[in-house]
Amino acid sequence: MTRRSAGFLRRNAIALLALFIALGGTSIAAVNALPRNSIGSAQIRRGAIVSSDVKDGSLLRRDFKRGQLPAGATGPQGPQGAQGAPGAAGTARAYGELTSGLALNTSRTKNIVSISHPQRGTFCITAAAGIDPATSTILVSSDFANAGTSRTLAQIRSTGIDCPRGTFEVMLWDDGIAHDSQFSFLIP
């Protein structure tokens, strides 16, 4: 054997030995399991996991964002609830509805004495005795069913600005302009 061929065999043997060591080390790492929960969303690139990587039936409803899953079929109607006590009007202390004619709808009113309308967009609500505007909250909603009021904003103001003290003051606005419109209100 010549000197040249002996050097060639030696280099090949060293290269093969390095290849076996490299492959052996990689295979050992691939065979050893990773510790549980050692890989999280920070280690996974966006788009790296696709549908074929997920076992069918393994995901739960909570794994999806709201609205991503289609709604199921509507179930059968449940039994009718018990009839309320005669004359019971709910748990709100007071409520009411102003009609499109800017009048109080008396059939949908509880513990409201009156509503006055001193100027465009301003309404003063007088509640029954014991319901103090200084210590009570009023919730107001403009009527969004009417196309003409779909942009109306209801604002509750401190009492005594445009309405007398002791009343709830409500202002309605449409695009920044005082606006007369129907609305509903509730005093919990």
Side-chain angles (χ1 to χ4, degrees), residues 98 102 114-126 157 160-164 167-171 180 183:
L98 196 68
L102 304 181
S114 66
I115 293 183
S116 62
H117 182 229
Q119 62 189 23
R120 182 171 178 80
T122 301
F123 300 88
C124 307
I125 301 170
T126 304
R157 295 180 63 188
I161 296 176
D162 290 321
C163 292
T167 62
F168 292 92
E169 185 169 330
V170 174
M171 287 200 68
D180 286 345
F183 63 93

Side-chain angles (χ1 to χ4, degrees), residues 60-83:
L60 304 173
R61 178 177 282 282
R62 68 174 181 248
D63 295 323
F64 296 89
K65 289 181 184 176
R66 184 176 296 235
Q68 284 186 318
L69 295 177
T74 302
Q77 183 173 346
Q80 183 173 345
Q83 179 68 32

Side-chain angles (χ1 to χ4, degrees), residues 90-96 110-114 125-128 130-133 135-140 166-170 184-188:
T91 59
R93 292 188 299 155
Y95 56 83
K110 174 184 173 185
N111 287 334
I112 299 300
V113 176
S114 66
I125 301 170
T126 304
I131 302 175
D132 182 7
T135 58
S136 300
T137 302
I138 184 170
L139 306 171
V140 180
T167 62
F168 292 92
E169 185 169 330
V170 174
S184 299
F185 59 93
L186 169 83
I187 302 169

Side-chain angles (χ1 to χ4, degrees), residues 4-71:
R4 195 175 196 186
S5 60
F8 176 74
L9 287 176
R10 195 175 314 120
R11 283 192 305 271
N12 278 344
I14 292 171
L16 282 173
L17 181 62
L19 178 65
F20 286 124
I21 291 172
L23 288 176
T26 304
S27 62
I28 290 172
V31 170
N32 290 340
L34 293 171
R36 187 173 186 86
N37 297 324
S38 64
I39 296 179
S41 57
Q43 289 79 27
I44 299 174
R45 289 187 320 242
R46 182 176 290 286
I49 297 178
V50 295
S51 179
S52 61
D53 296 326
V54 180
K55 181 180 174 185
D56 288 345
S58 65
L59 297 177
L60 304 173
R61 178 177 282 282
R62 68 174 181 248
D63 295 323
F64 296 89
K65 289 181 184 176
R66 184 176 296 235
Q68 284 186 318
L69 295 177

Side-chain angles (χ1 to χ4, degrees), residues 96-103 105 108 123 139-155 170-174 179-185:
E97 175 184 71
L98 196 68
T99 66
S100 58
L102 304 181
N105 180 351
R108 296 187 66 167
F123 300 88
L139 306 171
V140 180
S141 176
S142 58
D143 176 21
F144 290 110
N146 183 343
T149 61
S150 62
R151 298 182 321 240
T152 301
L153 170 71
Q155 174 186 7
V170 174
M171 287 200 68
L172 299 178
W173 301 92
D174 188 347
H179 180 67
D180 286 345
S181 176
Q182 60 197 67
F183 63 93
S184 299
F185 59 93

